[in-house]
Amino acid sequence: DTEVTQTPKHLVMGMTNKKSLKCEQHMGHRAMYWYKQKAKKPPELMFVYSYEKLSINESVPSRFSPECPNSSLLNLHLHALQPEDSALYLCASSQEGAWTEAFFGQGTRLTVV
Amino acid sequence: EDQVTQSPEALRLQEGESSSLNCSYTVSGLRGLFWYRQDPGKGPEFLFTLYSAGEEKEKERLKATLTKKESFLHITAPKPEDSATYLCAVPRFSSGTYKYIFGTGTRLKVLA
């Protein structure tokens, strides 16, 4: 089983809302990732949890906040987003670090109005 | 600077017309190269991992190969359902952890 499950599949939120994206994997992977993808662009790394230690892409605004409750779960908390944050948000996991292949979820299509 | 470049950016093929996609990289100490397929609005689907020059992997109509500077994804007798964006990625060590560097992708359209 190489499944990474993301919820919700679609999300529309206002700029003053607070929402969370959720991701789950049961493959025993020790690294989990959040990516942002705009149309016709490759995925752009936002956050990495490797053995439950967070590594941050310093260009990510503080309105995005990751959380890793345990090695199987990953959340992305959203607050005071801007319309330009509208994108496909992808969760991925890999058995070890990025020297092993990553498996992606189907993504959450986020629209900020 | 570590870079991953894919070519062509877009490719249109007739059904049955074989071709190759290229992924060139400038990463010191390569620790693997990964190929993914992505359909519109969905997450990338893992295809292959290649670790050393000369290695080849096959799956149905796809065959991935690796040299010291580039990788090729060969598509033999493609079908319309092979239409997708194909991405390659390599790991890079930065800020205390490994991260994937993705190429910009090749958008493949196979016409019936």
Side-chain angles (χ1 to χ4, degrees), chain A residues 33-45:
Chain A
Y33 312 82
W34 279 114
Y35 284 88
K36 173 183 178 180
Q37 188 176 28
K38 292 282 211 178
K40 296 187 177 181
K41 297 289 187 181
E44 179 184 344
L45 181 67

Side-chain angles (χ1 to χ4, degrees), chain A residues 25-112:
Chain A
Q25 58 89 11
H26 294 289
M27 296 177 278
H29 288 178
R30 301 310 304 269
M32 296 187 75
Y33 312 82
W34 279 114
Y35 284 88
K36 173 183 178 180
Q37 188 176 28
K38 292 282 211 178
K40 296 187 177 181
K41 297 289 187 181
E44 179 184 344
L45 181 67
M46 300 177 73
F47 303 104
V48 180
Y49 276 92
S50 181
Y51 287 85
E52 297 164 41
K53 178 183 174 183
L54 174 63
S55 175
I56 297 174
N57 181 346
E58 294 178 356
S59 66
V60 177
S62 60
R63 55 187 183 268
F64 296 93
S65 174
E67 179 194 17
C68 188
N70 59 55
S71 60
S72 298
L73 296 174
L74 187 65
N75 299 321
L76 185 63
H77 303 297
L78 315 173
H79 173 57
L81 295 192
Q82 303 296 308
E84 60 265 28
D85 296 322
S86 298
L88 182 67
Y89 287 84
L90 296 163
C91 173
S93 71
S94 62
Q95 186 168 2
E96 300 289 337
W99 60 90
T100 57
E101 58 269 12
F103 295 91
F104 284 81
Q106 287 302 291
T108 294
R109 172 65 62 189
L110 174 67
T111 303
V112 181

Side-chain angles (χ1 to χ4, degrees), chain B residues 1-94:
Chain B
E1 182 181 339
D2 296 336
Q3 281 193 324
V4 179
T5 304
Q6 290 188 248
S7 62
E9 186 175 319
L11 181 63
R12 292 167 68 94
L13 299 174
Q14 291 294 131
E15 184 173 3
E17 179 187 2
S18 301
S19 188
S20 296
L21 313 183
N22 178 264
C23 172
S24 299
Y25 59 90
T26 55
V27 175
S28 58
L30 185 70
R31 295 197 65 170
L33 185 142
F34 311 110
W35 281 100
Y36 292 88
R37 168 198 170 122
Q38 187 173 26
D39 293 305
K42 297 193 174 181
E45 175 190 348
F46 170 72
L47 294 174
F48 302 112
T49 302
L50 301 166
Y51 281 112
S52 55
E55 190 174 0
E56 299 182 351
K57 295 275 182 72
E58 285 189 69
K59 179 181 179 180
E60 296 180 354
R61 295 178 291 283
L62 300 176
K63 179 180 177 180
T65 62
L66 182 66
T67 72
K68 289 185 178 179
K69 293 184 178 181
E70 59 192 348
S71 178
F72 292 94
L73 186 64
H74 308 278
I75 303 178
T76 301
K79 298 182 177 182
E81 54 261 43
D82 295 322
S83 298
T85 295
Y86 291 85
L87 295 161
C88 66
V90 298
R92 181 185 71 179
F93 191 80
S94 173

